[in-house]
Amino acid sequence: MPASARCAAVNAHCTDGVELKVSAPQASQGSLILAVVRSQKPLREVTGKWNERDVYFWEGGSTTAAHRSTHNYVNEALLGVDLEKAPGDYEFSVSATMGNGEHVGCTAALTVRAGKFATESLTVQKQFVEPNEQQAQRAVAEQEKLRQIFDHITPEKLWHGPFRPPLSGGVRGTNFGKRRILNGQPRSPHTGADFPAPTGTPIHATQSGRVVLAEELYFSGNTVIIDHGLGIYSLYGHLSATDVAVGDSVKAGAVIGKVGATGRVTGPHLHWGVTVNKARVNPIQLVAETVIR
Ligand SMILES: [Zn+2]
């Protein structure tokens, strides 16, 4: 589907010769927004600002007939709305340079709305809820390691084509954003989607990229993280077996491991998470709603 068909007009202010459209001017927490910049002339150094972070654009190819005569040049970027981003109006800005050195750009207001997430209250034994001191220290160190991974932006686009679900056979992932209240205390929301599947089910890379983590973590058990470039990372948790190592380049659909029940789980399933420029977003949207290539 061409980008223009998915992108609503947004109340953007742009320099002459440039236009900006986004897939969702009103986006809910945990969602993805595709931003499309079209221009009459080729642009260089197209960057955006969202969430106080730089947004990296790639050159899009999908020019529609309606635009072909005027706005020939397409640059696209993916914006993530973090699962816990406070609802409100936020500015998204884009700047670029034309061949003659002239600076151009756009600004737009994007509205973030509260997401609709399920809440689950559980009463469980204390030793299950509270990690011991050693486990807690380990978990904190691992969180820091993940934070550093997601903070790094690889400037190249390492993927080509659409993203695919990590399990074959139409298994549906659920529970993204679910709020858990354990013994009356609110816990961190669920940052990914859970795919129930038997132990040993092959897990596929959602897209090509480079493996940046393949190890056992306290919460997510055997975990693989793939860097797809431009700030997009996918995470696969609770694996029974891992078939890749840090530094491996993987192709879209490659088997990277098998479903399991390692880490803090009650049964075998795949936990799949996607982070876009540090924003924790619903991974299902990456394959279902926002068609990026
Ligand atoms: Zn999960």
Side-chain angles (χ1 to χ4, degrees):
M1 189 166 43
S4 61
R6 313 188 298 272
C7 276
V10 59
N11 199 5
H13 297 281
C14 291
T15 319
D16 280 352
V18 181
E19 58 178 51
L20 167 66
K21 288 186 177 178
V22 297
S23 58
Q26 299 208 347
S28 58
Q29 292 170 317
S31 68
L32 286 166
I33 302 172
L34 181 70
V36 180
V37 172
R38 294 175 185 283
S39 54
Q40 293 172 351
K41 298 196 171 124
L43 301 177
R44 289 187 287 119
E45 295 152 12
V46 187
T47 56
K49 255 311 190 227
W50 166 249
N51 267 345
E52 284 112 42
R53 289 178 61 86
D54 292 332
V55 172
Y56 294 79
F57 280 79
W58 66 89
E59 283 181 30
S62 50
T63 306
T64 58
H67 279 95
R68 202 158 286 144
S69 56
T70 55
H71 292 70
N72 253 327
Y73 300 93
V74 183
N75 286 272
E76 296 178 323
L78 201 57
L79 312 183
V81 180
D82 186 78
L83 177 59
E84 295 187 281
K85 189 169 180 69
D89 291 334
Y90 295 91
E91 188 182 89
F92 169 50
S93 63
V94 181
S95 66
T97 310
M98 295 208 295
N100 63 5
E102 190 189 330
H103 292 286
V104 293
C106 298
T107 56
L110 303 182
T111 303
V112 173
R113 293 189 299 208
K116 292 190 178 72
F117 304 118
T119 299
E120 179 184 44
S121 291
L122 291 173
T123 304
V124 292
Q125 288 182 327
K126 194 161 184 283
Q127 69 263 33
F128 184 74
V129 182
E130 301 294 342
N132 66 33
E133 198 179 316
Q134 196 189 355
Q135 291 167 331
Q137 280 176 7
R138 181 184 166 192
V140 167
E142 290 172 355
Q143 282 303 312
E144 175 59 19
K145 183 171 187 172
L146 296 184
R147 199 190 62 75
Q148 285 180 13
I149 287 173
F150 297 139
D151 206 24
H152 174 80
I153 309 280
T154 298
E156 311 124 73
K157 179 176 182 271
L158 301 177
W159 85 87
H160 306 279
F163 285 67
R164 57 155 288 165
L167 300 185
S168 296
V171 187
R172 290 186 53 194
T174 57
N175 288 345
F176 174 76
K178 190 172 197 173
R179 263 71 177 172
R180 288 207 308 164
I181 298 169
L182 290 187
N183 298 349
Q185 291 184 336
R187 296 287 160 147
S188 306
H190 185 241
T191 55
D194 290 333
F195 292 72
T199 295
T201 305
I203 299 167
H204 302 270
T206 179
Q207 248 300 346
S208 52
R210 198 174 296 125
V211 176
V212 290
L213 181 136
E215 66 182 62
E216 194 206 346
L217 301 179
Y218 176 68
F219 282 111
S220 54
N222 294 322
T223 304
V224 170
I225 299 178
I226 301 175
D227 176 5
H228 302 289
L230 305 183
I232 301 177
Y233 291 88
S234 57
L235 179 150
Y236 310 78
H238 311 308
L239 281 53
S240 58
T242 302
D243 294 350
V244 290
V246 170
D248 287 358
S249 285
V250 292
K251 292 201 166 78
V255 174
I256 56 169
K258 293 177 184 64
V259 171
T262 56
R264 304 269 283 187
V265 293
T266 52
H269 71 278
L270 168 68
H271 172 95
W272 187 38
V274 165
T275 300
V276 174
N277 217 341
K278 288 192 88 176
R280 301 158 300 168
V281 298
N282 188 346
I284 309 299
Q285 240 200 321
L286 195 61
V287 293
E289 288 171 40
T290 305
V291 184
I292 67 166
R293 289 175 184 278

